[in-house]
Amino acid sequence: MEDLLIETLSEFGYPVRRQGSLLDDEPYPPHFFTFWNVSSEGYGFYDNMETKILYEYDVNFYSIDSEKIYEVLREAKRKLKTKGFESWGDAHDVVSDEPTHDGRGFSVSFLKEE
């Protein structure tokens, strides 16, 4: 599922990184996505075997342009939904380690048949 998530977010032309994976001495790109796999739970059990897995991710976007954050996240949410991801509600603020960058994020889920 991560491959589909990364592939979809990469279509925006910004780097896509696992949350927290930037090195201490690595500069923040001007605009970038991060993601974190919150859970991967088994569902739909039949004869003691799971038939589905529910993947849940946090998707964040950081930028030096605060207007871009809102614009890009709205479009990212729409694009992920066209690929089968589900997301409800609106985005929320996320902490940035750099004073030059702001961040916002949202949660997405994907129910995969096994």
Side-chain angles (χ1 to χ4, degrees):
M1 286 305 20
E2 287 180 7
D3 289 343
L4 180 58
L5 181 71
I6 293 167
E7 175 186 308
T8 304
L9 295 175
S10 293
E11 292 176 15
F12 287 90
Y14 304 119
V16 179
R17 304 287 299 265
R18 183 176 299 277
Q19 183 71 32
S21 67
L22 287 171
L23 302 174
D24 289 338
D25 61 348
E26 188 176 0
Y28 271 38
H31 321 282
F32 64 102
F33 285 100
T34 66
F35 69 92
W36 187 256
N37 179 212
V38 177
S39 67
S40 302
E41 301 292 328
Y43 280 89
F45 291 91
Y46 181 75
D47 283 341
N48 293 325
M49 298 190 60
E50 62 191 17
T51 60
K52 300 174 185 170
I53 298 177
L54 179 63
Y55 294 90
E56 296 181 300
Y57 295 94
D58 283 337
V59 175
N60 305 308
F61 185 71
Y62 296 90
S63 177
I64 57 175
D65 180 348
S66 57
E67 286 183 27
K68 185 178 278 291
I69 294 168
Y70 290 88
E71 170 187 316
V72 171
L73 272 184
R74 277 192 292 271
E75 185 58 32
K77 190 174 192 178
R78 278 193 288 273
K79 190 170 281 212
L80 286 166
K81 284 183 174 186
T82 67
K83 303 290 178 100
F85 288 90
E86 296 290 335
S87 183
W88 298 272
D90 202 358
H92 55 272
D93 291 336
V94 292
V95 176
S96 172
D97 293 334
E98 291 293 324
T100 55
H101 287 68
D102 291 316
R104 284 185 62 79
F106 60 88
S107 299
V108 296
S109 301
F110 193 101
L111 188 60
K112 180 182 175 196
E113 302 271 340
E114 286 295 296

